[in-house]
Amino acid sequence: MSLFGKLFGTGGKGGKSPTPQEAIQRLRDTEEMLMKKQEFLEKKIEQELLTAKKNGTKNKRAALQALKRKKRYEKQLAQIDGTLSTIEFQREALENANTNTEVLKNMGFAAKAMKAAHENMDIDKVDDLMQEITEGQELAQEISDAISKPVGFGEEFDEDELMAELEELEQEELDKNLLEIGENVPLPNVPSTLPARPAAKKKEEEDEDDMKDLEAWAEAM
């Protein structure tokens, strides 16, 4: 079987096309085969080069034949390099195509699942449901507000009037307390006579008078 037959199969027009995975695997197998061929040719080139060097001065004919074979091997090696580059490019293109195919397949699968999920949904029914939910929430809030409101059993009072009355009562109580404090505190008594001089102060004044008399007597002498 030829190389192309191995790569692409021998099926006719009605044959089944290979999958991307199969083609990628065959390209990898071909790459592996060609790389082994490269290694073989590189070894042959080294051998022919050694033969040419060995017979360069002794047997020119053998040396020339070795160099010719070396050139043919080098040409084949260059051809294999080009073929490997082409196969690598083709394999990468197939891998990208296979990836894109899988991505699109999964996206299509997800789109079908989303369509099936929404298939039994009616937008009008959704709107009605949301309206019912909103009304239910509003009703629940009204009930909560009604329950939490203080119950006065029908009695309603003006808060301002109650506060004014409370302030009046507090002011009356304050005035009453001030009057009681004023009545219970006694006033201080006013003294009828001046307080007597302290004895020490009186004696000090007498001593000063005696000193003045003594000084006057001394000046008169």
Side-chain angles (χ1 to χ4, degrees):
M1 184 181 292
S2 65
L3 176 61
F4 290 101
K6 291 181 180 179
L7 287 174
F8 304 108
T10 57
K13 294 182 179 179
K16 184 180 178 181
S17 299
T19 62
Q21 292 86 349
E22 292 174 346
I24 290 170
Q25 186 58 47
R26 292 196 178 189
L27 287 173
R28 287 175 178 169
D29 293 341
T30 303
E31 284 181 296
E32 185 178 355
M33 179 188 66
L34 291 175
M35 284 189 289
K36 289 181 179 179
K37 182 68 173 179
Q38 275 184 323
E39 294 177 0
F40 173 76
L41 290 174
E42 288 173 352
K43 290 180 180 179
K44 295 296 291 184
I45 290 171
E46 291 178 2
Q47 291 176 0
E48 298 300 336
L49 184 58
L50 290 174
T51 301
K53 289 180 179 180
K54 181 179 179 180
N55 297 308
T57 56
K58 298 177 181 179
N59 190 347
K60 291 185 179 180
R61 182 181 180 84
L64 290 173
Q65 292 297 325
L67 290 175
K68 288 179 181 180
R69 289 191 297 271
K70 173 179 169 295
K71 291 293 184 181
R72 290 198 303 268
Y73 294 149
E74 289 176 344
K75 184 177 180 180
Q76 292 179 29
L77 188 61
Q79 291 174 345
I80 290 176
D81 288 337
T83 304
L84 282 173
S85 298
T86 303
I87 291 176
E88 184 179 3
F89 174 80
Q90 189 178 18
R91 177 176 53 78
E92 290 177 353
L94 275 172
E95 289 174 346
N96 292 333
N98 186 47
T99 301
N100 294 334
T101 300
E102 290 298 323
V103 171
L104 291 175
K105 187 187 297 183
N106 293 333
M107 291 176 66
F109 182 78
K112 289 180 181 179
M114 184 178 293
K115 182 178 179 181
H118 295 161
E119 188 173 1
N120 297 325
M121 290 186 182
D122 186 352
I123 187 62
D124 295 331
K125 292 181 179 179
V126 173
D127 291 338
D128 294 340
L129 178 61
M130 295 305 298
Q131 183 65 28
E132 291 178 2
I133 293 174
T134 302
E135 292 175 357
Q137 291 176 343
E138 292 175 354
L139 178 60
Q141 185 63 40
E142 291 176 1
I143 293 174
S144 298
D145 293 342
I147 293 175
S148 61
K149 182 183 293 185
V151 179
F153 299 101
E155 297 180 357
E156 295 183 359
F157 303 98
D158 189 345
E159 295 289 337
D160 295 337
E161 291 181 1
L162 293 175
M163 291 298 297
E165 184 177 353
L166 179 61
E167 290 177 358
E168 290 179 2
L169 293 174
E170 291 176 350
Q171 187 62 41
E172 290 178 2
E173 186 68 21
L174 180 61
D175 294 341
K176 182 179 177 181
N177 293 334
L178 290 175
L179 289 175
E180 291 178 355
I181 292 172
E183 293 175 356
N184 295 330
V185 176
L187 295 175
N189 295 325
V190 178
S192 58
T193 59
L194 295 175
R197 289 184 179 180
K201 182 68 174 178
K202 182 176 180 181
K203 186 176 185 305
E204 183 179 352
E205 291 178 354
E206 290 177 356
D207 292 339
E208 289 181 356
D209 293 338
D210 293 340
M211 287 297 297
K212 288 180 180 180
D213 293 340
L214 183 58
E215 290 175 357
W217 178 77
E219 291 177 356
M221 291 296 294

